[in-house]
Amino acid sequence: MKRVILVRPEGPRNVGMALRACDNFGPCELYLVRPARPGMLLHPEFEQMSHGVTDMEQKLFVVNSLKDALAECTHAVGFTARVRGDLVREEWNGALPRLRELGAGGEERLAIVFGAESTGLLSDEADLCQELVHIRTAKSHTSMNLAMCVAVVLQGLFTGEEVWQPEPGGVSLSGAEREYLRQNL
């Protein structure tokens, strides 16, 4: 089982998109640690971005501390673009096979920890994780949007159980048919 933990999340859109990613690539739970806005889960942008997620009360939890969010977790991995303390940051692609195995294990509860949009994980928060991981990016922009990062990580950890299969029989439009629709819509 996987537990996604967002520490001090600031934006309802990011939280809604993270919840949607948890639903797309589950099974996962989403824990919010001290959200910046108390009413974030009632915000229209949260609703818009989490569209289609059912049984939210069984998937989304709000807690006061990272220690509370890490309860029952057997291993915690913090994602950060910055070096934090003495922990060595491993590159995501290198850590992925080992973490996929941990996340798919029946007895294991893998915590995937992300910091706030503006600051990332703070040093004392990173210290609560057994390891740190970073996602390789271009030098010109070294950090990723929070929800995008959650989606990238969860897709990588997704084992493919209960994968949606498209219905047979669909036919793609030709270029001329697409152009006709563009002109007439």
Side-chain angles (χ1 to χ4, degrees), residues 148-184:
M148 284 176 46
C149 192
V150 170
V152 165
V153 170
L154 290 179
Q155 192 284 325
L157 293 174
F158 186 55
T159 59
E161 297 172 13
E162 298 183 33
V163 173
W164 177 79
Q165 297 293 328
E167 295 178 19
V171 179
S172 297
L173 295 176
S174 69
E177 291 167 325
R178 271 193 300 279
E179 185 57 34
Y180 172 82
L181 286 175
R182 260 190 232 122
Q183 291 176 1
N184 292 288

Side-chain angles (χ1 to χ4, degrees), residues 9 12 14 16 21 34 39 50 64 127 152 163:
N14 276 329
R34 292 184 323 275
S50 64
N64 290 321
D127 288 344
V152 165
V163 173

Side-chain angles (χ1 to χ4, degrees), residues 28-160:
C28 323
E29 331 170 284
L30 177 62
Y31 274 66
L32 307 180
V33 177
R34 292 184 323 275
R37 297 175 172 177
M40 183 181 296
L41 302 180
L42 301 174
H43 197 282
E45 291 180 347
F46 169 80
E47 264 187 56
Q48 179 186 30
M49 300 316 290
S50 64
H51 175 75
V53 177
T54 59
D55 302 323
M56 225 177 279
E57 63 281 350
Q58 296 171 11
K59 299 173 185 174
L60 178 63
F61 306 90
V62 179
V63 295
N64 290 321
S65 74
L66 180 53
K67 285 183 182 181
D68 290 341
L70 290 171
E72 304 164 359
C73 293
T74 54
H75 193 77
V77 180
F79 281 78
T80 181
R82 298 181 183 122
V83 175
R84 298 289 187 194
D86 294 330
L87 288 175
V88 174
R89 292 180 312 146
E90 186 175 359
E91 202 274 318
W92 169 237
N93 290 329
L96 178 57
R98 180 176 45 77
L99 295 177
R100 182 182 291 138
E101 198 172 305
L102 271 175
E107 311 86 51
E108 301 291 334
R109 187 173 301 260
L110 176 64
I112 309 160
V113 184
F114 302 89
E117 291 93 321
S118 60
T119 62
L121 279 179
L122 302 177
S123 292
D124 61 325
E125 296 162 347
D127 288 344
L128 295 176
C129 299
Q130 281 82 27
E131 62 182 300
L132 296 180
V133 175
H134 71 95
I135 296 176
R136 186 176 42 211
T137 60
K139 287 181 182 181
S140 60
H141 209 132
T142 59
S143 65
M144 291 178 66
N145 168 273
L146 175 60
M148 284 176 46
C149 192
V150 170
V152 165
V153 170
L154 290 179
Q155 192 284 325
L157 293 174
F158 186 55
T159 59

